[in-house]
């Protein structure tokens, strides 16, 4: 078997998972022949990583030379890990230059660029795979399995709430994610994971979206209103601010960003209470599905704990999944939460919320029972990451849970956030069929799975 020739496009934080997979477990079938990355420090970081793995250094190209790279290096597949708003252009150019594409979520951030991807796929007949790693998490797979098995009957509605804490959630307000033009806001950047889960759990497509929300915690205006304005752009690094990120504390962040910023001015650690934040931190949506089900969804990005709760109502009963990923963000000794300088932290406040996951089913007229969540193996996300990488690099097997995703799933997942963003602007519900993406106009497309089968 000849190796498939890969190029990574955008060599920042996320690309490491792919670089390590190509040079490690899948080195017998994949070869990293090129890196397309404008920042020389980040490009060198990954070249060194490949060489350290005992493999030949990949060639490095600037984004302007993407087509030249694909031809000169005979690239079979590119892996797009650049900023969200750059995905569409990089996908279309790669397809036109003769490569297939693997792309990180979100597929893209708005409807015109999604339509351009759709046209390029039709024009070239090439393949675009989108990596929805959340599907592979054993707890999410377990929920899909029981719905698919008919355990709770026909799904009538879903109630889904996701909370990001003041550590992870705050991180979306430091760099490019904080600007809607670059990320589509959390409704696209983050919630496309969540909307994909719902589409896939209930095997239906979103039809109409109404959204409400705003920036109510982070950002300069909110800080000023709470009397904590005029903060330094990158923190004081005196260990007294619970919201600052000190890149020197993390070797990888230091190497990828602090030591690279001289070349492009990309600051990874900007203050979360600064001017210029154009995304929301509190969001609520109502989504109608083709199947007749309704989704109520909420996202909060400044919660004291992190995790999610989803309840799926069906004609035979109800399934509930509760996940606590972090019970509390505790202030360190001598570190004072800036939002309430008088507050003293509870010390062991995480103990009321032990980290963990629980999937409960209750059928009508019966007692509730817990469904075991079986880890898929070692590795990240209960072994889910390894399953995803196997599907990407070995090819999707005949997965009874239909976890491998293609561009249609990517479009359906972002359609909720894109319609939600329009709804936030207009105050009106938005029909996804009117977004201008042909795949979504095609009447009642039950699901991308149905189209494929
Ligand atoms: N599936 C997940 O759970 C998950 C997690 C993290 C990130 N992501 C996604 O991965 C992608 C990358 O995120 P990240 O955190 O690594 O971002 P990043 O900013 O660390 O990396 C992006 C890289 O792209 C480079 N770049 C800039 N302009 C470019 C261009 N024109 N062409 C090619 N490269 C260019 C940047 O210099 C940078 O090195 C995003 O789309 C993000 O949404 C997904």
């Amino acid at each position: 078997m000849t190796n498939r020739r890969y190029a990574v496009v955008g060599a920042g934080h996320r690309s490491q998972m792919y670089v390590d997979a190509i040079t490690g477990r899948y080195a017998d079938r994949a070869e990293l022949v090129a890196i397309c990355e404008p920042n020389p420090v980040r490009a060198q970081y990954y070249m060194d990583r490949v060489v350290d793995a005992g493999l030949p250094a990949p060639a490095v190209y600037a984004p302007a030379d993407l087509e030249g790279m694909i031809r000169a290096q005979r690239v079979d597949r590119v892996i797009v890990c650049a900023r969200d708003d750059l995905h569409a252009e990089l996908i279309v150019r790669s397809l036109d230059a003769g490569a297939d594409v693997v792309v990180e979520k979100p597929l893209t951030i708005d409807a015109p660029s999604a339509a351009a991807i759709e046209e390029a796929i039709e024009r070239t007949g090439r393949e675009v795979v989108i990596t929805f790693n959340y599907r592979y998490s054993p707890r999410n797979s377990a929920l899909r399995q029981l719905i698919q098995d008919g355990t709770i009957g026909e799904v009538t509605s879903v109630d889904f709430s996701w909370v990001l804490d003041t550590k992870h959630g705050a991180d979306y307000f430091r760099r490019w994610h904080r600007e809607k033009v670059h990320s589509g806001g959390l409704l696209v950047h983050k919630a496309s994971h969540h909307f994909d889960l719902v589409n896939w759990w209930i095997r239906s497509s979103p039809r109409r979206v109404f959204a409400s929300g705003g920036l109510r915690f982070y950002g300069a205006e909110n800080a000023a209103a709470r009397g904590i304005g005029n903060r330094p752009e990158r923190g004081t690094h005196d260990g007294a601010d619970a919201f600052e990120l000190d890149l020197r504390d993390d070797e990888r962040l230091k190497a990828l960003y602090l030591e690279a910023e001289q070349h492009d001015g990309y600051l990874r650690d900007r203050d979360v209470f600064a001017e210029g934040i154009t995304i929301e931190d509190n969001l609520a949506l109502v989504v109608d599905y083709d199947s007749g089900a309704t989704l109520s969804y909420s996202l909060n990005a400044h919660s004291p704990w992190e995790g999610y709760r989803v309840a799926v109502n069906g004609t035979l009963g109800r399934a509930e999944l509760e996940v606590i990923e972090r019970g509390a963000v505790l202030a360190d000794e001598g570190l004072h939460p800036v939002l309430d300088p008088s507050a003293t932290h509870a010390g062991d406040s995480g103990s009321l919320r032990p980290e963990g996951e629980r999937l409960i089913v209750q059928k009508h007229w019966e007692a509730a029972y817990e469904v075991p969540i079986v880890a898929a193996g070692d590795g990240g996300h209960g072994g889910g990451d390894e399953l995803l990488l196997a599907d990407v690099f070995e090819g999707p097997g005949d997965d009874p849970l239909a976890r491998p995703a293609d561009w249609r799933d990517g479009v359906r997942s972002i359609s909720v956030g894109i319609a939600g963003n329009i709804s936030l602007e207009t105050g009106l519900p938005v029909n996804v069929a009117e977004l201008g993406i042909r795949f979504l106009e095609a009447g009642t497309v039950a699901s991308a799975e149905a189209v494929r089968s």
Side-chain angles (χ1 to χ4, degrees):
M1 185 177 64
T2 53
N3 280 0
R4 237 169 161 180
R5 296 170 68 81
Y6 281 87
V8 163
V9 180
H13 203 263
R14 185 62 178 166
S15 56
Q16 185 160 315
M17 180 177 85
Y18 299 97
V19 170
D20 289 358
I22 295 170
T23 58
R25 177 175 282 225
Y26 299 101
D28 62 337
R29 65 191 65 215
E31 201 180 335
L32 187 66
V33 296
I35 291 174
C36 178
E37 164 61 50
N39 187 294
V41 172
R42 282 192 285 278
Q44 187 66 45
Y45 176 91
Y46 283 105
M47 276 172 74
D48 292 347
R49 212 169 163 86
V50 176
V51 172
D52 287 349
L55 294 164
V60 173
Y61 288 80
D65 295 335
L66 177 66
E67 291 82 355
M69 173 190 81
I70 289 170
R71 292 192 189 107
Q73 300 297 329
R74 292 176 288 110
V75 173
D76 299 310
R77 242 178 164 192
V78 303
I79 301 183
V80 175
C81 292
R83 212 174 59 198
D84 301 346
D85 60 311
L86 301 172
H87 288 186
E89 183 208 324
L90 295 168
I91 293 170
V92 171
R93 287 173 59 198
S94 298
L95 294 173
D96 281 334
D100 291 324
V101 173
V102 176
V103 60
E104 261 300 341
K105 57 46 60 181
L107 182 65
T108 181
I109 62 162
D110 57 23
S113 62
I117 293 170
E118 184 176 36
E119 275 166 31
I121 291 168
E122 282 170 11
R123 184 167 66 238
T124 62
R126 296 210 155 268
E127 183 190 63
V128 175
V129 166
I130 179 156
T131 51
F132 280 127
N133 49 322
Y134 283 28
R135 292 184 179 195
Y136 292 82
S137 173
R139 56 192 176 227
N140 297 329
S141 294
L143 180 55
R144 156 90 188 205
Q145 181 78 60
L146 75 86
I147 296 171
Q148 180 173 301
D149 290 347
T151 309
I152 57 168
E154 294 296 318
V155 173
T156 55
S157 62
V158 180
D159 187 10
F160 195 177
S161 102
W162 199 289
V163 291
L164 299 164
D165 64 24
T166 48
K167 187 177 168 81
H168 181 206
D171 214 33
Y172 294 103
F173 296 82
R174 294 201 171 98
R175 50 178 174 149
W176 52 264
H177 311 83
R178 58 153 69 175
E179 290 169 74
K180 216 170 234 196
V181 289
H182 293 320
S183 68
L186 290 177
L187 270 191
V188 172
H189 175 78
K190 186 70 192 166
S192 59
H193 270 308
H194 313 155
F195 300 136
D196 174 67
L197 282 176
V198 176
N199 299 343
W200 171 74
W201 277 328
I202 71 171
R203 283 185 287 170
S204 186
S205 288
R207 178 185 288 175
R208 193 175 64 148
V209 180
F210 177 76
S212 174
L215 181 68
R216 295 168 186 161
F217 183 80
Y218 301 107
E221 268 185 40
N222 294 314
R226 291 199 294 271
I228 53 161
N230 297 323
R231 294 159 53 88
E233 190 190 14
R234 308 180 71 179
T236 53
H237 300 320
D238 60 4
D241 184 343
F243 281 98
E244 78 173 26
L245 173 70
D246 192 336
L247 296 171
R248 295 168 304 182
D249 292 343
D250 182 309
E251 281 307 316
R252 189 162 162 233
L253 290 181
K254 188 171 141 204
L256 282 176
Y257 302 104
L258 191 60
E259 288 168 2
E261 65 190 39
Q262 56 188 302
H263 296 285
D264 54 14
Y266 175 175
L267 303 184
R268 172 69 182 79
D269 56 355
R270 283 186 293 167
D271 184 42
V272 299
F273 296 106
E275 299 281 353
I277 296 176
T278 52
I279 65 169
E280 299 79 19
D281 54 19
N282 282 262
L283 286 152
L285 269 78
V286 173
V287 185
D288 294 333
Y289 275 76
D290 278 343
S291 64
T294 309
L295 164 70
S296 52
Y297 170 86
S298 73
L299 179 65
N300 178 278
H302 56 89
S303 166
W305 66 280
E306 175 145 327
Y308 58 99
R309 291 186 176 131
V310 57
V312 185
N313 297 300
T315 50
L316 297 179
R318 175 174 161 105
E320 294 171 20
L321 174 62
E322 178 170 281
V323 177
I324 297 176
E325 289 179 334
R326 183 163 35 222
V329 181
L330 297 176
D332 294 326
E333 284 304 314
L335 189 86
H336 304 292
V338 291
L339 288 186
D340 181 359
S342 65
T344 52
H345 77 84
D348 62 351
S349 62
S351 61
L352 269 180
R353 293 185 199 280
E355 283 161 25
E357 55 195 10
R358 199 147 86 132
L359 179 56
I360 290 176
V361 170
Q362 187 160 16
K363 299 179 75 157
H364 294 141
W365 333 120
E366 291 181 17
Y369 63 92
E370 188 167 348
V371 177
I373 297 169
V374 183
D378 299 333
H381 300 114
D385 288 358
E386 285 304 319
L387 292 179
L388 165 80
L389 290 169
D391 276 346
V392 170
F393 291 107
E394 291 173 359
D398 198 11
D399 182 359
L401 296 180
R403 285 172 292 198
D406 72 7
W407 66 274
R408 298 178 191 89
D409 304 288
V411 166
R412 290 193 310 145
S413 67
I414 53 172
S415 70
V416 182
I418 292 170
N421 277 332
I422 297 170
S423 180
L424 287 170
E425 276 172 27
T426 61
L428 298 170
V430 174
N431 292 320
V432 296
E434 289 162 17
L435 290 176
I437 306 168
R438 253 178 296 129
F439 164 66
L440 298 172
E441 291 164 8
T444 314
V445 178
S447 72
E449 276 174 62
V451 171
R452 281 200 293 271
S453 60

